[in-house]
Amino acid sequence: TASDITVTVGAGGVGTHTNTAGSNSVFSTITSTGGGHGGGNAHQGSSGGSGGGAYSGTTNAGNAGSFSPVEGYAGGVNSNNLDPYRGGGGGGANEAGGNGGNGGGAGGDGTASSITGSSVTRAGGGGGGTHSSATPGAGGSGGGGNGGYVHNGTAPIAGTTNTGSGGGGSGSGSGQSYPANGANGGSGIVIIKYQFQ
């Protein structure tokens, strides 16, 4: 039957010094939880539909919330204690973010859907940034942004708009001329498929 339905498209998280998690997307009574933000010098990665990656040589990544059905996965930690400047990747809709080690952790891959008639992958996690001479993490499939790298001036990449994907992490460090902020996450999307009779 005909009716009015409230639809909210969630905004992507904002990569600032304190970081802001993504906002929820809502269709009527159905809510998709916004992703958590990445960890920074003064705070842990937060939990959400998918968790944000960890900063430094810690295990402070964000977890995926206890949602049913599963909305996403946890962020990666930093597993290289000899060089703590390699962040973990953000969790994606289909898998957890990679741990930082020899380089920044890769973002977790997103999930494919054919609701629009062809298969499209969305909601990939952002790659972890790196400060030292190591490769930043690649963004997860489905729009996740690559992480940044201080020493050659590579800035982190934002998540792709309307995919609900994570932005890449920063790799700023002491004495470096480099943005301290990670990249913004991509906004969400609401797709309606219905049968006409």
Side-chain angles (χ1 to χ4, degrees):
T1 57
S3 63
D4 292 332
I5 295 175
T6 299
V7 177
T8 303
V9 178
V14 180
T16 65
H17 177 65
T18 55
N19 291 336
T20 303
S23 301
N24 296 346
S25 288
V26 181
F27 176 80
S28 186
T29 60
I30 302 169
T31 299
S32 293
T33 311
H37 63 66
N41 191 28
H43 54 269
Q44 296 187 350
S46 72
S47 300
S50 288
Y55 161 86
S56 192
T58 66
T59 57
N60 62 353
N63 294 314
S66 300
F67 303 108
S68 181
V70 173
E71 293 186 348
Y73 292 84
V77 301
N78 183 302
S79 57
N80 188 335
N81 292 326
L82 297 178
D83 189 334
Y85 301 109
R86 301 170 186 183
N94 197 49
E95 66 177 356
N99 295 335
N102 293 328
D109 287 337
T111 295
S113 169
S114 298
I115 190 173
T116 57
S118 59
S119 180
V120 178
T121 302
R122 301 180 181 86
T130 180
H131 167 263
S132 58
S133 55
T135 304
S141 64
N146 295 339
Y149 174 41
V150 167
H151 285 285
N152 69 358
T154 300
I157 304 299
T160 302
T161 301
N162 299 139
T163 64
S165 298
S170 175
S172 66
S174 176
Q176 297 293 332
S177 176
Y178 188 82
N181 299 335
N184 294 342
S187 56
I189 187 170
V190 175
I191 300 169
I192 301 169
K193 183 176 182 178
Y194 64 95
Q195 181 176 354
F196 176 77
Q197 293 181 325

